[in-house]
Amino acid sequence: MLYNTVRPQDALGGAVPLDRYRVSQRQYREIVEPFDYAKDDLVRRVQQHGFVSILGHTMRLCRAFAGKSVAFRPIAADGVFDAWFRHQKIETIDLNALAR
């Protein structure tokens, strides 16, 4: 408790963390609303330990996405996809490199 309310921090110019705290303007939601990806997206559910399969290739994204649906969107290069979770791009996947 003292760390956030009394003890000054060099990174904050001598202020305490509580001085910088602001209440979020967003409402907390107990249940996350469903998300609909675009009809052309390849939507896959991420398995335990973060693994997902796309077009016969299995790869690991991240354990944080286990049980969640992610979308794969093709980009200009053949066999290359951007992986998305809702509105956030996760990474770019090159299936050609996975085949080697």
Side-chain angles (χ1 to χ4, degrees), residues 26-70:
R26 293 189 294 172
Q27 186 80 8
Y28 175 75
R29 298 175 193 258
E30 194 70 37
I31 298 173
V32 178
E33 295 178 19
F35 185 82
D36 292 323
Y37 289 106
K39 65 176 184 153
D40 294 334
D41 288 344
L42 298 173
V43 180
R44 301 292 186 267
R45 183 174 283 303
V46 180
Q47 301 301 314
Q48 184 178 0
H49 303 296
F51 287 95
V52 64
S53 294
I54 177 174
L55 302 176
H57 299 276
T58 301
M59 70 205 76
R60 185 171 183 188
L61 286 179
C62 178
R63 288 180 108 164
F65 298 111
K68 310 282 188 221
S69 293
V70 295

Side-chain angles (χ1 to χ4, degrees), residues 62-91:
C62 178
R63 288 180 108 164
F65 298 111
K68 310 282 188 221
S69 293
V70 295
F72 292 90
R73 296 179 186 152
I75 62 173
D78 189 38
V80 181
F81 295 80
D82 283 338
W84 291 81
F85 177 70
R86 295 179 168 254
H87 298 291
Q88 182 67 47
K89 180 181 166 187
I90 302 169
E91 66 178 297

